[in-house]
Amino acid sequence: MTNAPLPRLAPGATIGMLGAGQLGRMTALAAAQLGYKTHVYAPDAAGSPAAQVCAAATVAGWDDLDALERFARSVDTVTLEWENVPVATVEHLRRFTTVNPGPNVLSVAQDRINEKSFVNALGIATAPWRPAASADDVARAVAEIGPRCVLKSTRMGYDGKGQARIGAGSDPAEAWATIGAPASDDAGGGTAGGIVEGFVTFACEVSVIVVRGGDGAMAAYPAVENRHKDGILDVTVAPAKIAPETATEAERVARRIAEALDLVGVLAVELFVTPEGGVLVNEMAPRPHNSGHWTMDACASSQFEQLVRAVCGLPLGSVERVADAEMVNLIGDDAARWPELMAEPGARLHLYGKAEARPGRKMGHVTRLFPRG
Ligand SMILES: Nc1ncnc2c1ncn2[C@@H]1O[C@H](COP(=O)(O)OP(=O)(O)O)[C@@H](O)[C@H]1O
Ligand SMILES: [Mg+2]
């Protein structure tokens, strides 16, 4: 199930980008470095982090078929920085141009039930889980899986949003009420409602970022450790300080998933490391990922450059790590520390051009490099 090789787009071509946040911005910067232009499309593109650095921006809805057609005809290929772009949008764009990653990948990644079913079907382990469409389903799942669980909305969750922890003695109905009525407002064909997962007492959390070209060539960055604060990624340590066998297994799993998805582009796989050194897949995102930002400063080619290379039919770049790294997110008011960070020798500061520092909002990040261990 391999795609026909993508036509090779020469520098000067224009990449269409669905989504206008910092991931789109950093992809556009990487594209510009290689001589490509980027045209961003999003309902909220006006003045966005991506639009500030793109050659063109279209501000229009995901269901605006005319605007989508004009956009598709004005670019040479399309990619995305947000996996929740409606599948119908991507199907429409595909009538006029190539879109990678494609609709099959999105329908898996947009929905936690589809995602876990896909991963388990490959023989890859996750936490135990059950679908839940009502408070009764939640109670039944908790009775089967064990008292400590996490209830998550199947769709649209990010940064720990749309989740409720369930412990011994907690009320499943209350948990069900907090994740809210299922939103099934898009044409993605996914499941609505919730998923109950067994709570994993992990030793640490890691992620692996894989890049895959249209010819099936693959490369993977080393597993990195991710520490979260209030459900939001706080620090990434690259590489993760885990047993070599655990790192190898995490990489094998990520490559296997990218291959099975027939992915063209970048895939981030988040995993839990168990106290015994095994891995369980938590979730995945078919786009550059916050836990891969360190690659901009510490690797021969960044995750963003790799996305450009993959979707333009170019050879993949080297994932060689020239330094170890620690990336710290700047969330909300953290970004006010910019004068101090600018003055710190060796600190690689990245700011996303967001005007308003709302609590919980990713404003930028800083990467510090260390000699390779
Ligand atoms: N089953 C689980 N057991 C233990 N911790 C979990 C579980 N699921 C999620 N978490 C914690 O919550 C964080 C966010 O959950 P995740 O599923 O990655 O959703 P998202 O990143 O989309 O908000 C995880 O990184 C992890 O720290
Ligand atoms: Mg996550």
Side-chain angles (χ1 to χ4, degrees), residues 190-210:
T191 58
I195 178 171
V196 177
E197 299 178 14
F199 187 87
V200 179
T201 314
F202 50 75
C204 66
E205 289 187 86
V206 299
S207 58
V208 173
I209 292 173
V210 191

Side-chain angles (χ1 to χ4, degrees), residues 228 270 282-283 289:
H228 296 82
E270 297 178 16
N282 174 30
E283 63 165 355
H289 192 260

Side-chain angles (χ1 to χ4, degrees), residues 251-263:
E251 181 178 328
R252 184 193 70 80
V253 159
R255 284 176 178 264
R256 180 74 191 95
I257 295 171
E259 197 168 50
L261 288 170
D262 200 16
L263 175 94

